[in-house]
Amino acid sequence: RSYMTWNEVPAAPLDPILGVNQKFQADTSAEKVNVSIGAYRTDEGKPMVLSCVKKAEALLLEQSDLNKEYLPQRGDATYVQLCQKMLFGEKSKLLASGVVATAQTLSGTGALRLGAEFMKKFAQGKTVYISNPTWGTHNSIMTQAGVPFSHYRYWNAAGRDLDLAGMLEDIEAAPEGSVIMLHAAAHNPTGVDPTTEQWGEIMAVCKAKKHVCWFDSAYQGFATGDLDIDATAMRAFADEGLPLFVSQSFAKNFGLYGERVGTFSITCDTPEAVKAVMSQLDIIIRNLYSNPPKHGANIVKTVLSDPALYQEWRDELKAMSLRIQDMRTALYDELTSLGTPGSWTHITSQIGMFSFTGLSPEQCTQMVEKHHVYMLNNGRVSMAGVTSKNVKYIAKAIDDVVRNF
């Protein structure tokens, strides 16, 4: 036969995160626990739709002029302006000067891919340097887009903290004008963020080497519970005049996982450069997915532009962040009570949704196969999956695998 049958197409391997979730769904154990997925859960282990989101949707339904027409390729202009202020701050000199190019995207993943496609066209030969470890899709997005990437050291396994010396050495060694991807807050998967002083050292090296710094902002407000604190590092780099890419997601901090709401920004020298960059982003978007979806952006726009809803959102963000911090303390207390070998202070010193436990791959395998605690093989645990009802069980499982495997 002359036509294609696709019989020789190999099956792709399961996504490391989604594959674990599929195995969890198939597990019939009554004790099973899922701490693999990076999505917020209530203390009952249920997904949560924020109250401010429900109210925003109710307001949208009341709008007589609501329609489902196409958005421009670059997205909703009012939404974009509100997002810029959230990222760079109300008093940003860059925004006042009109030198930030921003397009609405398909959440943070879409923002990363849009940035990679822009690099492929206008920064040919430049390498993106990504932390080791990182969110795995950072690497695969660059691979799929055909953008070269390498890694810089980040995690100090011995101390379960930041390898600042290794990080600075690798950024210093990168060719001048490279692109350095940085996690704006709540590093995924380690939960280890640089201190203010360490950020200053990182910024100094990046400035000296004339690097472009690409901030992935997936957890603004979710890490500490404060939008401004979580944007401190990125705003410092912006104020210092370093050229930036910024990927922004509203999946975690708005709970809009399925709505795909985000932005991608590039800082420029002049308003004229912004116009040129936006024209090129329009073309890239047109040929990737034509234009972004409306509903999630309308929700975010409604909340950010309504003072009462905005304050309610900030309050809900704080509550989500505090619940995760409480679960960190509870897990640490349980491990301490059990006398689990080793130091576990990193569980409470780490920040954001994830804890990088330090468990070995074999211990992680036993967590899944023996105890039905579904986590990633690199030791990452989503603290959002830990609840007051399962924390003792999780701690006992960790204690067992540390002692016996």
Side-chain angles (χ1 to χ4, degrees), residues 107-174:
S107 200
T109 305
L112 289 160
R113 182 57 185 262
L114 179 59
E117 293 293 334
F118 183 85
M119 273 195 67
K120 186 165 61 176
K121 289 187 71 174
F122 300 105
Q124 293 179 5
K126 296 293 185 182
T127 297
V128 179
Y129 285 80
I130 302 171
S131 69
N132 182 26
T134 192
W135 179 52
T137 312
H138 281 151
N139 300 324
S140 59
I141 286 172
M142 298 306 149
T143 298
Q144 294 293 326
V147 173
F149 68 93
S150 187
H151 296 102
Y152 59 83
R153 284 168 283 177
Y154 193 87
W155 172 248
N156 171 29
R160 296 179 181 177
D161 56 11
L162 179 65
D163 180 5
L164 180 65
M167 180 182 184
L168 293 175
E169 184 178 337
D170 291 346
I171 293 175
E172 171 71 33

Side-chain angles (χ1 to χ4, degrees), residues 44-286:
E44 289 70 43
K46 303 295 184 182
M48 185 173 80
V49 179
L50 300 186
S51 173
C52 66
V53 168
K54 293 179 181 179
K55 291 177 181 177
E57 289 186 310
L59 289 172
L60 289 170
L61 288 174
E62 293 175 1
Q63 293 181 4
S64 59
D65 60 346
L66 183 69
N67 64 65
K68 300 296 183 181
E69 294 294 304
Y70 290 122
L71 283 175
Q73 285 97 319
R74 64 186 64 184
D76 183 302
T78 302
Y79 160 84
V80 163
Q81 291 173 358
L82 291 165
C83 293
Q84 287 180 331
K85 290 178 181 178
M86 179 179 151
L87 282 171
F88 293 96
E90 292 279 350
K91 299 179 180 179
S92 166
K93 294 179 181 178
L94 291 177
L95 296 183
S97 301
V99 292
V100 180
T102 303
Q104 181 181 335
T105 61
L106 305 182
S107 200
T109 305
L112 289 160
R113 182 57 185 262
L114 179 59
E117 293 293 334
F118 183 85
M119 273 195 67
K120 186 165 61 176
K121 289 187 71 174
F122 300 105
Q124 293 179 5
K126 296 293 185 182
T127 297
V128 179
Y129 285 80
I130 302 171
S131 69
N132 182 26
T134 192
W135 179 52
T137 312
H138 281 151
N139 300 324
S140 59
I141 286 172
M142 298 306 149
T143 298
Q144 294 293 326
V147 173
F149 68 93
S150 187
H151 296 102
Y152 59 83
R153 284 168 283 177
Y154 193 87
W155 172 248
N156 171 29
R160 296 179 181 177
D161 56 11
L162 179 65
D163 180 5
L164 180 65
M167 180 182 184
L168 293 175
E169 184 178 337
D170 291 346
I171 293 175
E172 171 71 33
E176 185 174 286
S178 295
V179 179
I180 311 298
M181 184 169 288
L182 301 163
H183 298 225
H187 184 273
N188 179 4
T190 68
V192 173
D193 285 358
T195 64
T196 301
E197 293 74 20
Q198 290 170 335
W199 273 121
E201 294 184 63
I202 295 164
M203 180 167 63
V205 174
C206 289
K207 187 174 184 179
K209 292 301 298 281
K210 299 180 181 179
H211 293 325
V212 175
C213 295
W214 188 341
F215 279 93
D216 188 6
S217 182
Y219 299 95
Q220 187 180 352
F222 199 95
T224 65
D226 188 292
L227 290 165
D228 296 316
I229 291 175
D230 290 350
T232 298
M234 189 209 70
R235 291 177 185 176
F237 277 61
D239 291 342
E240 193 65 21
L242 277 77
L244 303 181
F245 287 180
V246 184
S247 303
Q248 180 183 34
S249 168
F250 290 105
K252 306 296 192 298
N253 54 16
F254 261 87
L256 297 175
Y257 305 99
E259 299 293 352
R260 314 316 293 147
V261 196
T263 66
F264 175 66
S265 295
I266 300 176
T267 61
C268 304
D269 280 343
T270 66
E272 290 70 29
V274 169
K275 292 178 183 178
V277 167
M278 290 303 301
S279 71
Q280 294 294 342
L281 292 177
D282 280 341
I283 291 174
I284 295 170
I285 290 167
R286 176 62 172 163

Side-chain angles (χ1 to χ4, degrees), residues 334-356:
E334 291 294 335
L335 291 169
T336 301
S337 177
L338 291 167
T340 306
S343 172
W344 299 95
T345 56
H346 59 285
I347 290 177
T348 52
S349 66
Q350 292 169 358
I351 194 171
M353 184 173 283
F354 304 111
S355 177
F356 217 43

